[in-house]
Amino acid sequence: MRSAVLVETTEFELQDRPRPSPGPDDVLVAVRDVGICGSDVHYYEHGRIGDYVVEDPLVLGHESAGEVVEVGENVTDHEPGDRVALEPGVPCRRCAHCKHGDYHLCEDVRFMATPPHDGAFTEYVSWPADFAYELPDSVSTAEGALCEPLSVGIHACRRGGVGTGDTVLITGAGPIGLMVMEAARAAGATDIILTDVVEEKLDFADKRGADLTVNVTETDLEAAVDEYTDGVGADVVVEASGAEPSIQSTIDVVCRGGTVVLVGLASEAEVPFDVLEVIDNEIDVHGSFRYKNTYEAAVDLLADDEVDVEGIIDFESQLEDIDDAFRRAMEPTVVKGMISLDS
Ligand SMILES: NC(=O)C1=CN([C@@H]2O[C@H](COP(=O)(O)OP(=O)(O)OC[C@H]3O[C@@H](n4cnc5c(N)ncnc54)[C@H](O)[C@@H]3O)[C@@H](O)[C@H]2O)C=CC1
Ligand SMILES: CC(=O)[C@H](N)C(=O)O
């Protein structure tokens, strides 16, 4: 089978690898669509993210969906022909976190495209059947692949307790910020503010229904939020840029008693934060790491047309053109590139 393998930083090699056989509890999936995530691009450019270092050739890609072509002997809930979205992180199922239900916090998680685990820029993936979610006819495999960033958005909104009538401020209008917007709208938020430093990203967020967009290089965010919320602040602020000034600004724009959710990964682990403001204003600050139990919700939201994920796709390329696709994905105005695989 054809696999795009990162063999050096900024260099993919198209290799012919043996097609896997499904284990007894697995499905063998012919991959159809894979999104290019910022983390894929980071591994491509730098060969590492923090402590995760690409030491051996690696198949990237963790936003994937495809068609089941074979099932293991114990699998009863999928059959060949089913179209499925693959949840990319499979936990150990035995540790304290898994047993508490926080399987996304499992330290032995096997997460696609996180070294040393291969991902989905390949023709076939064998994957545990219970981490493959059937897509109804109305949901495309491209949408199925984007259940992954949508899941990040759903989990962040759950962490923030986003509810009906809330004003939600999202910093960073990249794919994650835009998916937080979709999830927040679906959770009942009535006012959504997006920030960014790239005008094109904000224009795009405007077109997708943001109620207010703020270019923080030109406009004082605190003043803009004060004006929009009559001096109250946002009920929930979701940080989705990873930029240090943006992380710090969350405390200035959340309302007293409100919630800040940190999703964006800062390049430095330590970011100065005004803890007195956190205490005085009784602000809840939550980290949000990947997601748990979101895929079924994501598929249902897509089936019910409650969210749009396909609209964030800028371009689709073939596996053979993956180098070119990654270079395009690095352009600052591009939101989402996809790799499509033919049968
Ligand atoms: N916690 C988690 O589980 C996950 C975290 N992430 C992180 O979330 C962040 C967002 O991911 P993507 O949307 O894929 O990244 P991205 O890089 O495509 O988007 C970030 C956006 O933030 C904007 N930005 C930069 N500086 C800013 C500032 N000072 N204020 C407002 N916006 C600013 C950029 O122009 C860009 O549009 C990244 O840090 C990523 O590593 C991504 C997936 C999962
Ligand atoms: C941080 C990422 O972008 C990636 N989706 C991951 O969950 O590792």
Side-chain angles (χ1 to χ4, degrees):
M1 64 173 185
R2 290 170 304 150
S3 304
V5 184
L6 185 72
V7 286
E8 297 282 345
T9 44
T10 69
E11 191 185 332
F12 284 110
E13 196 175 273
L14 211 59
Q15 296 182 358
D16 189 18
R17 289 191 160 188
R19 175 172 151 162
S21 300
D25 299 310
D26 298 344
V27 287
L28 182 68
V29 174
V31 177
R32 295 282 179 256
D33 287 282
V34 192
I36 302 174
C37 171
S39 62
D40 295 319
V41 174
H42 208 276
Y43 283 125
Y44 172 78
E45 257 194 295
H46 306 288
R48 67 183 302 154
I49 296 181
D51 292 340
Y52 293 101
V53 181
V54 183
E55 276 162 357
D56 294 307
L58 184 73
V59 177
L60 295 174
H62 61 267
E63 302 175 352
S64 70
E67 187 179 327
V68 174
V69 291
E70 209 180 315
V71 300
E73 64 198 49
N74 298 336
V75 176
T76 52
D77 50 356
H78 288 300
E79 56 185 37
D82 285 356
R83 292 171 325 108
V84 290
L86 298 181
E87 181 172 353
V90 178
C92 78
R93 306 170 192 262
R94 288 183 300 276
C95 69
H97 305 297
C98 287
K99 287 190 162 179
H100 288 164
D102 287 330
Y103 71 86
H104 63 313
L105 301 181
C106 173
E107 293 185 40
D108 289 322
V109 69
R110 170 164 56 109
F111 200 91
M112 280 187 191
T114 301
H117 305 293
D118 279 335
F121 289 128
T122 183
E123 276 185 290
Y124 296 93
V125 168
S126 176
W127 207 244
D130 57 337
F131 280 73
Y133 299 84
E134 189 170 351
L135 301 173
D137 289 346
S138 61
V139 177
S140 70
T141 46
E143 291 176 299
L146 295 180
C147 283
E148 204 279 341
L150 178 59
S151 284
V152 175
I154 293 170
H155 188 64
C157 288
R158 286 180 180 166
R159 294 284 289 154
V162 174
T164 310
D166 279 352
T167 296
V168 178
L169 188 150
I170 303 158
T171 53
I176 296 299
L178 294 174
M179 291 300 98
V180 174
M181 172 157 83
E182 293 300 307
R185 210 49 111 186
T190 45
D191 292 271
I192 298 188
I193 306 169
L194 258 296
T195 73
D196 209 285
V197 292
V198 176
E199 201 55 45
E200 289 87 343
K201 292 278 181 74
L202 293 168
D203 290 345
F204 189 57
D206 259 333
K207 288 195 189 101
R208 289 179 61 82
D211 298 288
L212 176 71
T213 54
V214 182
N215 186 333
V216 293
T217 64
E218 292 168 359
T219 304
D220 182 294
L221 180 61
E222 200 174 341
V225 173
D226 265 354
E227 190 185 334
Y228 188 83
T229 62
D230 295 328
V232 175
D235 299 297
V236 182
V237 178
V238 181
E239 205 302 303
S241 76
E244 187 171 317
S246 176
I247 295 169
Q248 289 170 325
S249 75
T250 57
I251 298 302
D252 305 325
V253 288
V254 68
C255 70
R256 279 170 73 82
T259 304
V260 170
V261 182
L262 300 176
V263 179
L265 302 176
S267 52
E268 297 294 331
E270 292 183 21
V271 176
F273 215 64
D274 191 336
V275 290
L276 291 181
E277 289 285 311
V278 172
I279 296 163
D280 277 357
N281 294 312
E282 217 170 65
I283 296 164
D284 289 333
V285 180
H286 296 288
S288 187
F289 182 61
R290 295 177 177 157
Y291 37 77
K292 60 170 177 176
N293 301 319
T294 48
Y295 264 68
E296 283 176 0
V299 172
D300 285 348
L301 288 171
L302 285 162
D304 294 346
D305 273 333
E306 293 285 330
V307 292
D308 167 58
V309 298
E310 241 168 353
I312 70 166
I313 298 173
D314 292 291
F315 68 89
E316 286 179 359
S317 287
Q318 301 297 303
L319 201 58
E320 289 69 20
D321 303 321
I322 194 165
D323 264 307
D324 193 43
F326 266 62
R327 280 192 289 274
R328 278 181 80 182
M330 282 155 69
E331 289 167 20
T333 55
V334 167
V335 176
K336 179 61 69 182
M338 302 289 294
I339 299 291
S340 313
L341 289 91
D342 301 324
S343 36

